[in-house]
Amino acid sequence: MFACLKKIALGALIATSLAAVLPGAAQAAAPAPAPEFTGIENWLNSPPLTVASQRGKVVLVDFWTYTCINCIRTLPYVTSWHQKYKDQGLVVVGVHTPEFPFERSTANVQKALERFKITYPVAQDNRYATWEAYRNQYWPAVYLIDKQGQVVYRHFGEGNYAETEAEIQRLLAQPG
């Protein structure tokens, strides 16, 4: 349950310590308009997307980077949700935000997409513009946007997979 934190090393913190560092690591968020995808260098697996164009769908925004072990451990869940719920109105958008300079390479990100079998849209956020728009600080981080375009749930780090999936199901069941 350790999150790769931007410019902060958690080292050997145990899960209980992480809860103290990240109060409400998984929580319903007070509904707030979802920030737009901004400053995206490249879109992979998809033409450019906007949050506004996804109205009427549930959007899972996953901030990740391909060398973060915590991100790698979450990818099977994220890809599974994409496969399981894409036909029910879930749109998964990976926002690849590099921690290290070599992670800015589009070729490296494309190789990672192949290696991890990621077929959903991935935005390459090399300048941290979308990261900043979401006021994000963590890898991995998941934000759920409801059908009205509101961020209603967020989770930082690994774990809480059943809770996140239950929230996806709840949001999909709501009227558009």
Side-chain angles (χ1 to χ4, degrees):
M1 185 168 156
F2 303 111
C4 298
L5 299 180
K6 180 182 176 189
K7 299 180 184 170
I8 299 173
L10 280 181
L13 286 179
I14 59 174
T16 55
S17 296
L18 183 59
V21 174
L22 303 175
Q27 62 188 28
E36 223 12 287
F37 302 119
T38 186
I40 301 303
E41 186 170 306
N42 292 303
W43 280 91
L44 307 169
N45 294 339
S46 147
L49 297 178
T50 64
V51 170
S53 71
Q54 302 309 304
R55 281 281 169 96
K57 299 177 184 175
V58 174
V59 180
L60 184 154
V61 178
D62 178 39
F63 286 92
W64 70 293
T65 189
Y66 70 84
T67 63
C68 169
I69 188 62
N70 310 100
C71 298
I72 292 167
R73 290 180 186 146
T74 65
L75 288 175
Y77 296 93
V78 176
T79 57
S80 172
W81 296 328
H82 166 68
Q83 288 300 319
K84 192 171 182 180
Y85 299 110
K86 67 181 177 181
D87 294 333
Q88 297 175 42
L90 177 68
V91 176
V92 174
V93 177
V95 178
H96 185 274
T97 310
E99 185 173 10
F100 304 107
F102 62 85
E103 293 174 324
R104 296 176 189 277
S105 163
T106 301
N108 289 349
V109 176
Q110 288 172 320
K111 287 176 191 171
L113 297 183
E114 291 172 22
R115 182 171 60 248
F116 299 122
K117 298 177 176 44
I118 295 172
T119 59
Y120 50 81
V122 173
Q124 197 173 356
D125 187 25
N126 283 349
R127 294 186 302 260
Y128 285 70
T130 296
W131 174 286
E132 296 291 335
Y134 277 77
R135 297 183 179 170
N136 189 48
Q137 299 178 37
Y138 312 104
W139 291 283
V142 166
Y143 295 81
L144 287 175
I145 303 169
D146 70 10
K147 294 176 183 178
Q148 290 73 44
Q150 302 288 307
V151 174
V152 295
Y153 176 89
R154 60 183 177 232
H155 179 264
F156 308 125
E158 296 179 51
N160 287 50
Y161 303 116
E163 180 182 318
T164 301
E165 185 168 7
E167 187 65 12
I168 291 168
Q169 293 169 343
R170 186 185 74 77
L171 293 172
L172 288 171
Q174 291 183 337

